[in-house]
């Protein structure tokens, strides 16, 4: 049961985060991490500047798209970046002293540069708590290109290695160009909504495979015999769209006082998903695909709810900033995100208790 749940949820999250990743990379935005699981200890590998891997808790996942932090650009970011590259590593105190600024301002600049993937954060085992230049691992493509042109192979460098920069203004501009915050509104919107789009696209494809390729068995009302039915691709797509609309209506009912109670009672948490995934997986490929399509629709549309930190909440912030032409303050974003997390944790706790009563205790 646990294995089925991890596979089902992990695959759906992979699709969702993959949408964010592919859209960001298509627009030239740096993505430093692509992980399956909640943030924490992980294993993985680095490719094309992104660390791919699995964390210790393989439920959920995230793609760390650079430059999505709220607030403006620190006025000390460029000088702090130059100092780190000249020295290879420096603490907040050293940066503050060298730049003649407060330690809080130094931390703000360094933290922003780390969010951009321009520098590396202090390692947990680093007693000095030094911020460093990032490690450099040339891609296989870059090495092949150099070999083809009879040029020296690109050099690797460990984190904390001093590096010479000829033109810091140009270098800083290139770092800015790799950030989500520098994109126009429509490109930022595509990145935010790409995960939801991937979830719905997978669901439609799964419906086509189930209904048009594999087909379904049903009991004839007239003869009582089991018959095999195969739909056209158009009918399968129509069924998928119908499932998306039905799920959307079910989510809307959560916010209507007259239907909220019934909607919550018909909903389930990760425990219910685990139990149902085991049942559907045991029935065969068609049932497993159908189940994953339904879960994909649910996860995708739930992320469309305009509450931070969901994708829909971030999209709403982008719209507000577009209309007002002002950045939403970081403290406001933080407070609203905390309120959203508290709401979802309360909802999760309620659903978890409901599923324990329903599936574990047999109520």
């Amino acid at each position: 049961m646990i294995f089925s749940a991890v596979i089902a949820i992990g695959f759906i999250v992979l699709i969702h985060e993959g949408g964010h990743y592919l859209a960001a990379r298509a627009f030239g935005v740096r993505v430093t991490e692509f992980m399956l699981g909640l943030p924490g200890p992980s294993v993985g590998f680095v490719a094309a500047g992104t660390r791919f891997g699995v964390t210790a808790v393989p439920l959920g996942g995230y793609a760390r798209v650079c430059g999505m932090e709220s607030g403006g650009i620190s006025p000390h970011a460029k000088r702090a970046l130059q100092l780190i590259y000249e020295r290879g590593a420096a603490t907040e105190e050293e940066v503050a002293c060298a730049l003649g600024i407060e330690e809080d301002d130094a931390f703000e600049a360094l933290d922003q540069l780390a969010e951009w993937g321009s520098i590396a954060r202090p390692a947990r085992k680093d007693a000095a708590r030094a911020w460093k230049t990032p490690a450099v691992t040339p891609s296989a493509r870059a090495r092949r290109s150099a070999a083809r042109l009879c040029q020296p192979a690109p050099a690797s460098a460990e984190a904390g290695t001093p590096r010479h920069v000829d033109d810091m203004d140009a270098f800083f501009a290139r770092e800015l160009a790799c950030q989500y915050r520098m994109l126009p509104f429509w490109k930022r919107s595509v990145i935010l909504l790409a995960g939801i789009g991937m979830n719905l696209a997978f669901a439609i494809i799964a419906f086509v495979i189930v209904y048009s390729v594999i087909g379904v068995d049903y009991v004839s009302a007239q003869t009582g015999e089991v018959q095999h039915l195969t739909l056209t691709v158009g009918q399968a797509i129509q069924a998928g769209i119908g499932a998306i609309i039905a799920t959307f209506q079910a989510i809307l009912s959560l916010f209507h006082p007259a239907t909220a109670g019934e909607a919550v009672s018909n909903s389930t948490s990760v425990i219910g998903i685990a139990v149902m995934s085991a049942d559907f997986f045991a029935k065969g490929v068609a049932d497993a695909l159908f189940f994953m399509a339904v879960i994909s629709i649910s996860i995708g549309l739930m992320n469309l709810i305009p509450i931070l930190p969901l994708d829909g909440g971030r999209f709403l912030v982008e719209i507000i900033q577009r209309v007002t032409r002002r950045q939403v303050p970081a403290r406001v974003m933080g407070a609203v995100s905390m309120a959203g997390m508290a709401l979802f944790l309360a909802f999760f706790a309620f659903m978890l208790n409901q599923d324990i009563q329903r599936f574990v205790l047999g109520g």
Side-chain angles (χ1 to χ4, degrees), residues 194-210:
I196 299 170
M198 287 287 280
N199 281 133
L200 301 184
F202 165 74
I204 294 295
I205 293 172
F207 269 81
V208 170
I209 295 174
V210 170

Side-chain angles (χ1 to χ4, degrees), residues 33-334:
E33 288 185 289
F34 186 101
M35 290 288 170
L36 286 180
L38 301 179
S42 63
V43 295
F45 62 93
V46 178
T50 304
R51 186 169 187 269
F52 299 87
V54 180
T55 69
V57 184
L59 288 176
Y62 62 93
R64 196 176 296 280
V65 178
C66 294
M68 295 190 74
E69 76 283 354
S70 56
I73 299 174
S74 168
H76 312 292
K78 182 166 66 176
R79 291 198 299 153
L81 180 63
Q82 183 174 7
L83 182 66
I84 295 295
Y85 267 68
E86 288 175 351
R87 299 187 180 186
T91 63
E92 295 166 28
E93 295 82 2
E94 292 170 340
V95 172
C97 181
L99 302 185
I101 59 177
E102 298 292 331
E103 287 188 18
D104 288 345
D105 294 330
F107 172 79
E108 179 184 348
L110 293 169
D111 184 64
Q112 186 166 63
L113 290 171
E115 287 291 330
W116 294 358
S118 302
I119 64 175
R121 297 182 185 277
R124 292 185 178 181
K125 298 181 180 179
D126 183 6
R129 306 296 295 167
W131 304 72
K132 304 176 181 179
T133 53
V136 176
T137 305
S139 65
R141 177 182 297 180
R143 290 193 294 268
R144 288 195 300 268
S145 177
R148 187 169 54 253
L149 298 174
C150 298
Q151 295 177 350
S156 300
E158 296 182 357
T161 305
R163 294 168 207 169
H164 175 70
V165 178
D166 292 326
D167 187 344
M168 179 51 65
D169 290 335
F171 180 72
F172 188 72
R174 287 196 299 271
E175 288 298 300
L176 273 178
C178 297
Q179 307 306 317
Y180 166 88
R181 61 165 56 240
M182 303 305 294
L183 296 177
F185 170 76
W186 75 269
K187 289 186 177 181
R188 296 199 303 269
S189 300
V190 170
I191 292 175
L192 289 176
L193 301 179
I196 299 170
M198 287 287 280
N199 281 133
L200 301 184
F202 165 74
I204 294 295
I205 293 172
F207 269 81
V208 170
I209 295 174
V210 170
Y211 287 116
S212 297
V213 179
I214 300 175
V216 293
D217 295 327
Y218 74 101
V219 179
S220 173
Q222 297 176 345
T223 64
E225 297 178 353
V226 176
Q227 298 183 4
H228 190 75
L229 175 66
T230 301
L231 303 181
T232 65
V233 172
Q235 290 173 325
I237 293 175
Q238 186 177 1
I241 295 174
I244 292 173
I245 294 174
T247 305
F248 184 72
Q249 292 173 338
I251 292 174
L252 287 180
S253 67
L254 288 170
F255 301 92
H256 194 287
T259 57
E262 182 181 358
V264 170
S265 66
N266 290 331
S267 302
T268 188
S269 71
V270 67
I271 290 181
I273 293 175
V275 173
M276 289 187 290
S277 64
D279 292 340
F280 277 93
F281 275 51
K283 293 178 180 178
V285 176
D287 289 270
L289 265 178
F290 177 82
F291 173 75
M292 292 179 68
V294 172
I295 296 300
S296 185
I297 293 172
S298 299
I299 290 178
L301 294 183
M302 284 293 290
N303 266 280
L304 196 57
I305 296 176
I307 300 175
L308 287 173
L310 298 179
D311 297 334
R314 288 184 173 274
F315 182 55
L316 177 61
V317 170
E318 290 290 348
I319 294 175
I320 292 173
Q321 293 179 156
R322 175 73 172 181
V323 172
T324 62
R325 299 186 180 277
R326 293 182 179 180
Q327 286 278 334
V328 175
R331 63 179 182 277
V332 175
M333 289 278 288

